[in-house]
Amino acid sequence: MSEGEAEQERAGYRRSAGSARGEARRLELLERVTDDLGANGLVDFSLRRAARAAGTTHKVLLYYFDGPEDLLTQAVLRLRARRIDRSMAAAAEESASRTLAGRVRAMWPVLVGEEAWVLDQAIGLAMYDSGRYAQLAREASKQYLPSLLSILPAEWSARRQHEVAEMILGVLRGFLVEWRTSGDGAGIEAGFAALDRALTHEEAAAD
């Protein structure tokens, strides 16, 4: 804990809005909590566990975040952003194939890797207690859609891009639920074959 944080904790003050130093410290703490979340999941998440992971106290976390739900939400959003960055990198590597279906396919191993189980827990938590954790699910589309739009042909109209991006997002979400609940790899592969045909047809169609 820094000297300034200790003074603020003793005085009971909230963080100063707009402070570049304060924001840098908040992001540093968030990265540490996000690492812990990715390794240990959402079960038994608490401010004290987060404080141990961040190397500080729960009071300092309350200085930078608006309670445990806010901290959990911020960490889940950061974890999801990491997965999106990696999936977009995988899609970019596949850009040489020049097919939309190929770019979407390249994202799948990333979507089911590493933090997938934690982000699946977040979806379940949002469904279980939507009043407290609705933002976990609501923000997902806001995070994924811009990235999906970026891999679509630039010459398409905005409406067409939005429609196809929503289709891809909905289908991939369904595959993720299937993968998590049944582990039916053959069924998911069959679904991908249909998605490949749909995207190939979409690319060939006039705008």
Side-chain angles (χ1 to χ4, degrees):
M1 184 194 316
S2 69
E3 181 180 350
E5 288 172 341
E7 291 176 356
Q8 294 282 8
E9 181 180 327
R10 288 193 295 270
Y13 295 147
R14 293 290 294 161
R15 57 189 165 83
S16 299
S19 166
R21 182 177 179 181
E23 178 61 12
R25 177 59 172 157
R26 188 188 73 84
L27 291 175
E28 177 188 1
L29 294 170
L30 180 59
E31 285 294 317
R32 293 178 182 176
V33 174
T34 302
D35 289 342
D36 174 76
L37 201 67
N40 299 307
L42 276 64
V43 177
D44 297 326
F45 178 85
S46 68
L47 277 177
R48 293 191 181 279
R49 173 184 139 187
R52 286 195 300 271
T56 186
T57 70
H58 73 283
K59 290 184 179 180
V60 167
L61 290 180
L62 288 174
Y63 171 66
Y64 287 100
F65 300 94
D66 297 324
E69 283 84 6
D70 177 51
L71 177 57
L72 177 61
T73 298
Q74 294 292 332
V76 168
L77 295 180
R78 181 69 193 113
L79 201 63
R80 190 181 290 135
R82 292 178 182 179
R83 180 164 74 166
I84 290 172
D85 288 344
R86 287 197 297 273
S87 63
M88 288 302 102
E93 290 180 3
E94 189 64 25
S95 61
S97 72
R98 299 186 179 181
T99 68
L100 177 56
R103 293 193 291 276
V104 172
R105 278 268 192 167
M107 296 167 58
W108 181 247
V110 177
L111 295 178
V112 296
E114 298 190 24
E115 298 97 350
W117 67 286
V118 182
L119 295 171
D120 291 344
Q121 286 181 341
I123 294 173
L125 187 60
M127 295 175 67
Y128 173 74
D129 192 346
S130 59
R132 294 179 65 185
Y133 299 107
Q135 190 177 4
L136 293 179
R138 186 166 54 243
E139 292 296 322
S141 294
K142 294 181 181 179
Q143 284 185 277
Y144 281 113
L145 280 175
S147 296
L148 290 174
L149 288 169
S150 73
I151 68 173
L152 299 179
E155 64 272 16
W156 285 2
S157 67
R159 177 177 178 178
R160 186 180 181 189
Q161 287 182 335
H162 180 73
E163 290 171 348
V164 175
E166 287 283 6
M167 178 186 73
I168 295 170
L169 178 59
V171 172
L172 291 180
R173 275 178 169 165
F175 289 168
L176 284 169
V177 171
E178 181 71 10
W179 175 75
R180 176 61 59 188
T181 56
S182 73
D184 184 4
I188 293 171
E189 182 59 31
F192 258 118
L195 179 61
D196 289 350
R197 290 195 299 272
L199 293 177
T200 299
H201 176 78
E202 189 67 41
E203 276 198 296
D207 198 350

